[in-house]
Amino acid sequence: MSALPFLLTDKLIHTLSVLCAQPSSIGQEDDLRANAELIATMMRGLGMHVHVANGHPPVVIGRRAGRNPASLLLYHRFDAAPPGPWRAWSHNPHQLAERDGALYGRGVAEGKGPLAAHMQAIQALLATYGELPCGLVIVADGGGLLGSPTLAAALDACPDLIGADACLGSIGDRNAAGIPLCYSGSKGFLQMSLSARGPTHPLPPGAAPSLSNPLWRLTWALASIKGADEDIRIPGFYDDVEGPSREENAALRQLRLDEAGRLAAWGADEFLFGMRGVALVRAEITLPTCNLSSMHCQPEHNLALLPSVATAVLDFQLVPRQRPEVVAQLLRTCLDEGGFADVTTARLPGGYAPAHTPHDNRFIRQVAAAGATVFDSLLPTVPAGAFTLPLQLFVERLHCPVASVGLAYPDNLPFGPDEHVALDDLVRHGHLLIELVLAVAGEE
């Protein structure tokens, strides 16, 4: 075998620069479509057979066979959070900037950065061997931040392209030593809209003694769902929760997070309830969540009045054995039995069940072992993290093991201004894929 492939950093920077130059904020269909076509062109440049699913948002799927019949699927998303006010950025958010060894731009830390690193890794493999050691599939999702509403249909439309023996995502955290974690699964995702209606049009505040205020109704309904103790009060919500295995619990007890770095990056003084150590790790990895992400009323201004409509959006991160459709029904029942039948609910598009691969699965061991060369350490393995990925959609169709390894740090700001990532972290993410491809092909 010839020397191991290496990534050309100038090519990696160029690829990421081109990706960042095309905005892809959530909900911007024209921009997402243009980004999908751009990614499809890049995949074809790698010799891949490509399908662009014309949903809203779009999904791009590319496949190239290798000399070994085994195949690895790489899941990426290319939608990004809106950049916000440009004045908050030190650089144009859609123009890649390099400073002190870091690359700045929307999408560089989560989404486009990992995708660029993986495409450059594929190019390095082809340049070294003339072919891929094993087959590779890239699934680039334009709706990852919205719960992947069109991904299932896109996968079903081209089953010949997505066939694979394992699936790898590119989201995740690091331990206190800066080593990426290997996640053997991902939490599921559910988004629900709650609405309360009042008068047909806004009324003066003097009507408050006479009519129900929808904003108060919604506030009281939300208070019945979750208390100040952070306990989720939906009856039956925790009934299906399956805790980690004995081996996974042992791994969690050994895991240490960069707690000081997180607090500094997030501008917080302490974690919820003062949690530290194993308690913090277990809370993030093993507990389901119910998060209130937005609350609005119509009309939305500071004038004193009685509003006509109030709306809130809840998102749930689900753990093994919890199902989105079951949780949605439990929420509806909770409101009905709590005296809030007038508060309507609607499941927002997208969402999926949690995914879980046994801790001792061969693919999980291969992913963890790939870190030995790149990071001089086996990657610590944990069952899930404080994020969601649609990995279960691949489990259901391919019956394959799944894992995820990220590259970002807490201060990389994928949702804030000056999102950035160290160039060295991108290069290592690409090298990790190269090691994994060789392992899957049996050519370590």
Side-chain angles (χ1 to χ4, degrees), residues 12 17-18 30 51 53 95 124 196 268 277 294 312 435:
L12 173 56
S17 176
V18 173
D30 290 343
H51 171 75
Q95 183 176 333
S294 68
E435 292 292 335

Side-chain angles (χ1 to χ4, degrees), residues 8 66 122 207 265 288 291 413:
L8 297 175
I122 294 172
N291 177 55
L413 302 174

